[in-house]
Amino acid sequence: MTEYVLNINRKKHTVNVEKSTPLLWVLRDTLGFTGTKFGCGKGLCGACTVLANNVSIRSCSLPVESAVNMDIVTIEGLSEKGDHPVQLAWVEEDVSQCGYCQGGQILSAVSLLNSKPKPSEEDINHAMQGNLCRCGTYPRIKKAIKRAAAK
Protein backbone atom coordinates (compact mmCIF):
# COMPACT_ATOMS: atom_id res chain seq x y z
CA MET A 1 0.00 0.00 0.00
CA THR A 2 1.14 3.50 -0.84
CA GLU A 3 -0.13 6.87 0.34
CA TYR A 4 -1.27 9.30 -2.36
CA VAL A 5 -2.56 12.85 -2.12
CA LEU A 6 -5.14 13.53 -4.79
CA ASN A 7 -6.81 16.81 -5.74
CA ILE A 8 -10.45 15.87 -6.24
CA ASN A 9 -13.28 18.37 -6.52
CA ARG A 10 -10.98 21.21 -5.42
CA LYS A 11 -9.98 19.44 -2.17
CA LYS A 12 -6.96 17.37 -1.18
CA HIS A 13 -7.70 13.75 -0.32
CA THR A 14 -5.14 11.35 1.13
CA VAL A 15 -5.63 7.69 0.26
CA ASN A 16 -3.64 4.58 1.07
CA VAL A 17 -4.06 2.08 -1.78
CA GLU A 18 -2.08 -0.13 -4.15
CA LYS A 19 -0.40 1.92 -6.89
CA SER A 20 -2.16 -0.01 -9.65
CA THR A 21 -5.64 0.61 -8.22
CA PRO A 22 -7.78 2.27 -10.90
CA LEU A 23 -8.85 5.80 -10.01
CA LEU A 24 -12.48 4.65 -10.39
CA TRP A 25 -12.22 2.38 -7.35
CA VAL A 26 -10.39 5.00 -5.30
CA LEU A 27 -13.18 7.47 -6.08
CA ARG A 28 -16.04 5.05 -5.37
CA ASP A 29 -14.79 2.68 -2.69
CA THR A 30 -12.22 4.73 -0.82
CA LEU A 31 -13.64 8.25 -1.09
CA GLY A 32 -17.37 7.61 -1.62
CA PHE A 33 -17.80 9.51 -4.91
CA THR A 34 -20.36 7.05 -6.24
CA GLY A 35 -21.57 9.30 -9.07
CA THR A 36 -18.67 7.89 -11.07
CA LYS A 37 -20.01 4.55 -12.31
CA PHE A 38 -18.47 1.23 -13.25
CA GLY A 39 -19.58 0.08 -16.69
CA CYS A 40 -17.21 -2.04 -18.72
CA GLY A 41 -13.90 -1.71 -16.86
CA LYS A 42 -12.06 -1.22 -20.15
CA GLY A 43 -12.60 2.49 -20.86
CA LEU A 44 -15.09 1.79 -23.64
CA CYS A 45 -18.49 2.84 -22.28
CA GLY A 46 -17.82 6.20 -20.61
CA ALA A 47 -19.74 5.54 -17.37
CA CYS A 48 -16.57 6.16 -15.35
CA THR A 49 -15.71 9.49 -17.01
CA VAL A 50 -14.23 12.23 -14.86
CA LEU A 51 -12.41 15.44 -15.74
CA ALA A 52 -8.64 15.52 -15.31
CA ASN A 53 -7.26 19.00 -15.82
CA ASN A 54 -10.56 19.87 -17.58
CA VAL A 55 -10.31 16.99 -20.07
CA SER A 56 -12.50 13.90 -19.92
CA ILE A 57 -10.76 10.64 -19.03
CA ARG A 58 -11.90 7.13 -18.20
CA SER A 59 -11.16 6.60 -14.52
CA CYS A 60 -11.39 2.80 -14.82
CA SER A 61 -8.24 2.82 -16.98
CA LEU A 62 -6.14 5.30 -15.00
CA PRO A 63 -3.97 3.93 -12.17
CA VAL A 64 -4.18 6.07 -9.06
CA GLU A 65 -0.45 6.81 -9.20
CA SER A 66 -1.01 8.58 -12.54
CA ALA A 67 -3.67 10.87 -11.03
CA VAL A 68 -1.46 12.42 -8.35
CA ASN A 69 -0.68 15.72 -10.11
CA MET A 70 -4.05 16.11 -11.80
CA ASP A 71 -7.03 18.24 -10.85
CA ILE A 72 -9.82 15.65 -10.86
CA VAL A 73 -13.49 16.62 -11.01
CA THR A 74 -16.26 14.08 -10.54
CA ILE A 75 -19.93 14.70 -11.23
CA GLU A 76 -20.34 15.55 -7.53
CA GLY A 77 -17.76 18.32 -7.84
CA LEU A 78 -18.91 19.90 -11.09
CA SER A 79 -21.01 22.47 -9.23
CA GLU A 80 -22.12 22.83 -5.65
CA LYS A 81 -25.80 23.36 -6.48
CA GLY A 82 -26.13 21.41 -9.73
CA ASP A 83 -26.25 24.66 -11.66
CA HIS A 84 -23.44 24.20 -14.15
CA PRO A 85 -24.75 25.22 -17.61
CA VAL A 86 -24.48 21.63 -18.88
CA GLN A 87 -26.39 20.29 -15.87
CA LEU A 88 -29.09 22.92 -16.36
CA ALA A 89 -29.34 22.08 -20.06
CA TRP A 90 -29.66 18.39 -19.17
CA VAL A 91 -32.67 19.19 -16.98
CA GLU A 92 -34.20 21.58 -19.51
CA GLU A 93 -33.97 18.94 -22.26
CA ASP A 94 -35.15 16.16 -19.93
CA VAL A 95 -32.15 14.04 -20.93
CA SER A 96 -31.98 11.47 -18.15
CA GLN A 97 -33.96 8.31 -18.26
CA CYS A 98 -32.38 5.70 -15.98
CA GLY A 99 -29.49 8.08 -15.25
CA TYR A 100 -26.70 5.52 -14.92
CA CYS A 101 -24.51 6.97 -17.67
CA GLN A 102 -25.40 10.61 -17.13
CA GLY A 103 -22.45 11.61 -14.92
CA GLY A 104 -20.05 10.43 -17.60
CA GLN A 105 -22.14 11.96 -20.37
CA ILE A 106 -22.26 15.34 -18.63
CA LEU A 107 -18.53 15.41 -17.91
CA SER A 108 -17.73 14.45 -21.51
CA ALA A 109 -19.98 17.29 -22.67
CA VAL A 110 -18.24 19.71 -20.29
CA SER A 111 -14.86 18.60 -21.64
CA LEU A 112 -16.07 19.21 -25.20
CA LEU A 113 -17.36 22.68 -24.36
CA ASN A 114 -14.12 23.50 -22.53
CA SER A 115 -12.21 22.88 -25.74
CA LYS A 116 -14.86 24.00 -28.27
CA PRO A 117 -17.40 26.42 -26.80
CA LYS A 118 -19.42 26.41 -30.04
CA PRO A 119 -19.16 22.82 -31.25
CA SER A 120 -20.46 21.63 -34.60
CA GLU A 121 -22.70 18.60 -34.95
CA GLU A 122 -19.61 16.65 -36.01
CA ASP A 123 -17.69 17.87 -32.93
CA ILE A 124 -20.51 16.68 -30.67
CA ASN A 125 -20.75 13.30 -32.38
CA HIS A 126 -16.99 12.79 -32.15
CA ALA A 127 -16.69 13.89 -28.50
CA MET A 128 -19.64 11.83 -27.31
CA GLN A 129 -19.11 8.64 -29.34
CA GLY A 130 -17.36 6.89 -26.44
CA ASN A 131 -20.26 7.38 -24.04
CA LEU A 132 -22.90 4.69 -24.26
CA CYS A 133 -26.50 5.12 -23.14
CA ARG A 134 -28.60 1.97 -22.89
CA CYS A 135 -31.75 4.09 -22.81
CA GLY A 136 -30.92 5.75 -26.13
CA THR A 137 -31.18 9.37 -25.02
CA TYR A 138 -28.65 10.48 -27.65
CA PRO A 139 -30.94 13.00 -29.43
CA ARG A 140 -31.71 14.73 -26.11
CA ILE A 141 -28.02 14.69 -25.16
CA LYS A 142 -27.14 16.50 -28.40
CA LYS A 143 -29.90 19.05 -27.83
CA ALA A 144 -28.66 19.67 -24.30
CA ILE A 145 -25.08 20.18 -25.46
CA LYS A 146 -26.27 22.68 -28.07
CA ARG A 147 -28.38 24.44 -25.44
CA ALA A 148 -25.43 24.66 -23.02
CA ALA A 149 -23.20 25.98 -25.80
CA ALA A 150 -25.71 28.73 -26.52
CA LYS A 151 -25.58 29.98 -22.91
Side-chain angles (χ1 to χ4, degrees):
M1 299 283 233
T2 305
E3 185 173 281
Y4 296 97
V5 177
L6 303 172
N7 185 16
I8 301 169
N9 299 334
R10 293 167 291 285
K11 293 180 183 171
K12 299 284 185 199
H13 297 270
T14 301
V15 297
N16 193 7
V17 297
E18 295 293 330
K19 68 179 181 176
S20 62
T21 305
L23 178 61
L24 169 66
W25 300 118
V26 173
L27 293 171
R28 289 184 59 79
D29 295 347
T30 306
L31 298 173
F33 294 113
T34 57
T36 305
K37 304 296 186 199
F38 173 77
C40 67
K42 297 181 181 190
L44 303 173
C45 72
C48 68
T49 300
V50 297
L51 297 178
N53 300 331
N54 290 318
V55 176
S56 63
I57 63 159
R58 304 300 192 247
S59 64
C60 73
S61 302
L62 185 72
V64 67
E65 67 179 347
S66 297
V68 169
N69 293 316
M70 297 178 172
D71 289 323
I72 305 293
V73 175
T74 68
I75 193 65
E76 293 93 341
L78 185 58
S79 68
E80 287 184 30
K81 298 178 183 178
D83 58 357
H84 185 280
V86 174
Q87 290 172 307
L88 294 175
W90 240 248
V91 171
E92 291 162 358
E93 292 297 337
D94 197 25
V95 172
S96 292
Q97 196 162 321
C98 84
Y100 194 83
C101 69
Q102 295 307 302
Q105 298 275 5
I106 288 169
L107 292 174
S108 289
V110 169
S111 177
L112 166 64
L113 295 174
N114 284 341
S115 65
K116 294 189 178 190
K118 300 292 181 195
S120 68
E121 184 89 12
E122 183 178 324
D123 294 332
I124 294 170
N125 289 339
H126 179 72
M128 302 303 291
Q129 71 183 357
N131 289 81
L132 303 180
C133 175
R134 291 181 66 185
C135 301
T137 63
Y138 302 114
R140 294 194 306 257
I141 289 168
K142 285 182 186 179
K143 286 170 103 175
I145 293 169
K146 290 175 183 177
R147 180 183 286 261
K151 290 185 179 186

